[in-house]
Amino acid sequence: MTVHTPADTFSFALSATDGAARTGFVSTPRGVIRTPAFMPVGTVATVKGLYFDQVKAAGADIVLANTYHLMLRPGAERVAKLGGLHKFMRWDGPILTDSGGFQVMSLSSLRKMSENGVTFRSHVDGAIHEMSPERSVEIQGLLGADIQMQLDECVRLPCTEEEAARAMRLSLRWAERSKRAFEAQPKGRALFGIVQGGAVPALRVESARELAGMDFPGYSIGGLAVGEPQEVMLAMIETVEPHLPTAKPRYLMGVGTPDDLLESVARGIDMFDCVMPTRSGRHALAFTRFGRINLKNARHAEDPRPLDEESDCPALRDYSRAYLHHLVRCQEMLGSMLISWANIHYYQQLMAGARKAIAEGRYGDYVAQVKDGWARGDL
Ligand SMILES: Nc1cc(CSc2ncc[nH]2)c2nc(N)[nH]c(=O)c2c1
């Protein structure tokens, strides 16, 4: 089904639901995103170890880039001078950027959070930077991102209810300021609000309802995948979901494992991003229909079988486990490249199967069948 939209609009259309699971299309001037969607992470303008034509061929409609990293190196103004991120990294599909606050808290030293924004020292060269909601939106605009994030404060779990409330309400004030600053940008781009509130249901509901009242074109659920158990993450999704508009996309930030994706789709999530497939690829961990396969393990040393002979991905179908094990043992870069390629492809086909199953009203059976494959393991 092709979905045509005028060149300068952002829109979301639901095409089917199965319980709380949904499938549809996010339309942007740079192309359509089929949902549920997994968005490969291209932190410093590259999905580590892959060419973008492999990312596209694997089925990805959109990739992520990181405001925090790119503002430090090569610099947002420099990327703009070079024609913007799409041209810079040669990806002509939609790009989503995060707002940078989360990375500041996890990567930079010396940081001070205030009402105006966050002041931090660069992990690259030690320079001091100010990041306000307005500057974050300006940077994302300079990069040319199609989907942008408000500046928010994500608390680490576990935290006190007071701490979660303070950060959530600061993020709401920053949502207003980000939205106002975003109005200066070209049509067709979207700014998402980010739901916060830690693991406190009442705070999560307050955040979702306040953001819904600001009428964003899409909503991110932040503050999860920060070390909490999966059941806490899923409970927070169930708490938030009823308070988000059904006609707008929901993006669960930083999630997750294949199991996290299937369970979150079942609860109404449309978009995901995670470094898991590429980071695991660099650590010799392959995600397959048979579950996880650790290619460091000596049991693969003489196994002539590919990871999955029925796959249409060369990395899964054409290379023996013995060869992949050899590359890993020798710490050869091709090992990371092939396993990252395999993992990105696996995540994309997992979501493609979910979209089809939802459209056919059999998502529950799909999840059971996928999990059965993992349980049967690697015969
Ligand atoms: N778990 C998690 C992950 C991310 C990074 S998403 C990402 N950025 C770049 C790649 N991936 C988050 N980002 C923001 N802004 N807020 C959050 O609460 C949050 C939570």
Side-chain angles (χ1 to χ4, degrees), residues 7 14 47 73 96 99 118 121 145 161 166 173-174 176 181 201 205 221 282 289-290 307 316 319 325 346 348 362:
L14 274 180
V47 176
R73 192 171 44 182
L96 184 150
S99 43
V118 57
R121 183 186 295 280
E161 187 161 327
R166 179 202 57 74
R173 295 192 294 275
W174 284 359
E176 293 275 14
V205 171
I221 300 178
R282 296 194 299 280
R289 286 188 295 129
F290 318 108
L307 288 170
L316 282 162
Y319 295 85
H325 173 70
Y346 179 72
Q348 291 304 325
R362 54 176 180 80

Side-chain angles (χ1 to χ4, degrees), residues 39-43 64-67 69 96-103 106 149-156 194-196 204 220-228 251-255 273-275:
M39 307 183 285
V41 174
T43 301
L64 259 78
N66 242 315
T67 294
H69 295 78
L96 184 150
T97 48
D98 197 2
S99 43
F102 181 82
Q103 288 76 25
S106 46
M149 296 299 124
Q150 70 155 92
L151 186 65
D152 62 327
E153 184 187 352
C154 168
V155 289
R156 284 273 171 275
I194 304 180
V195 178
Q196 290 291 351
R204 284 281 173 184
S220 303
I221 300 178
L224 296 175
V226 288
E228 78 283 357
Y251 159 31
L252 181 58
M253 306 186 89
V255 175
D273 91 276
C274 193
V275 294

Side-chain angles (χ1 to χ4, degrees), residues 117-134:
V118 57
T119 304
F120 62 94
R121 183 186 295 280
S122 160
H123 74 286
V124 170
D125 63 7
I128 300 293
H129 293 262
E130 284 267 340
M131 171 91 87
S132 64
E134 293 79 11

